[in-house]
Amino acid sequence: MTKQTTLKFTAHGKFLITGEYAVLDNVPALAIPLKLNQYLEISSREDDFFSWKSYDADGSLWFETRLSLELLFNVKPVKIDDDIAAKLIEILQKAIELHPNAIEIIAHGFDAVTTLDFNRKYGMGTSSTLISLIAQWLECDAYELQFACFGGSGYDIACATAGTALVYNYNNAQPAVEFLNWIPAIKQSIFFVYQNRKQNSRDSIAQFNANLITAELRAELSAMPQRFIASSNDLEAFHKTVQRHEAIISSLIGVQPVQEYLFPDYSGVIKSLGGWGGDFMMCTGGKDERNYFKNCGYEVILEWDEVIL
């Protein structure tokens, strides 16, 4: 009888502050890891099966499967009726392909359990943190695994194991990351509001037209991470930076900034985070501005110190 072992891994959620969409076209983007994580716990089994259970932040079980271990090493496509289970097998198979020694790590059956600090509908990185967790466990390159299984820029993969804010460059699938310390003097005036709907990243990316990025806009967007940091000590300057960034992205995707079409009477400023049309918004203001959103029916309002790592 082999001794049962348990392994534990952690990956951070994320917010993309600048460069949404444009980050896919090698524009540097400012991103921040969150205190809210996804966790993976792996326990060994004595047989040749594996089980996978995934729990949401409220403790509810939202996914469960039990399958034969041989599925992970089957070179021929296997039809799985459950789309989530099929995607999980694809990720695990790719991870094994990227690091052949992973076969030794999965020499026997296992039980996997994932848990979340954040609601999986929040867009904080349920998929990217899962990729990071599996890459940590099976010792493969998390960026390669992300690009193969989900695409995207990979900034969320950088955030998953980061300890500070960062400037991320996709760099034609050869990611470059610069870590930095960003603690805005105005952070008490910054808060995050959930828009009550989940945004599909792949649908969102389809709105973007890279051909509209002129040399001038590229230069301005590339300077935005430092501009956000520099202006975050003065609320008025920060407002101008946010408004200019929203105007640029609006011109690239042909969508009105969220403040213009949903909250034109709002007294602070509002910035979409990540894909426009869902997930979280970054807002500025005080108690009255927070109450504005509560009165509009937006119940999930998070403070900077509450969520930012």
Side-chain angles (χ1 to χ4, degrees), residues 94-142:
K94 189 63 182 180
I96 291 168
E97 178 187 326
L98 290 173
H99 186 201
N101 288 341
I103 294 174
E104 297 175 10
I105 300 173
I106 315 182
H108 302 282
F110 62 90
D111 294 314
V113 177
T114 65
T115 53
L116 286 161
D117 287 336
F118 54 88
N119 186 311
R120 66 190 182 93
K121 296 181 180 179
Y122 281 178
M124 290 179 169
T126 307
S127 297
S128 57
T129 50
L130 177 65
I131 289 288
S132 177
L133 292 166
I134 290 175
Q136 292 175 50
W137 169 41
L138 297 181
E139 299 174 6
C140 68
D141 186 291

Side-chain angles (χ1 to χ4, degrees), residues 82-95:
D82 185 327
D83 289 344
I84 298 175
K87 191 65 179 181
L88 175 63
I89 290 172
E90 176 194 337
I91 295 168
L92 292 171
Q93 287 179 331
K94 189 63 182 180

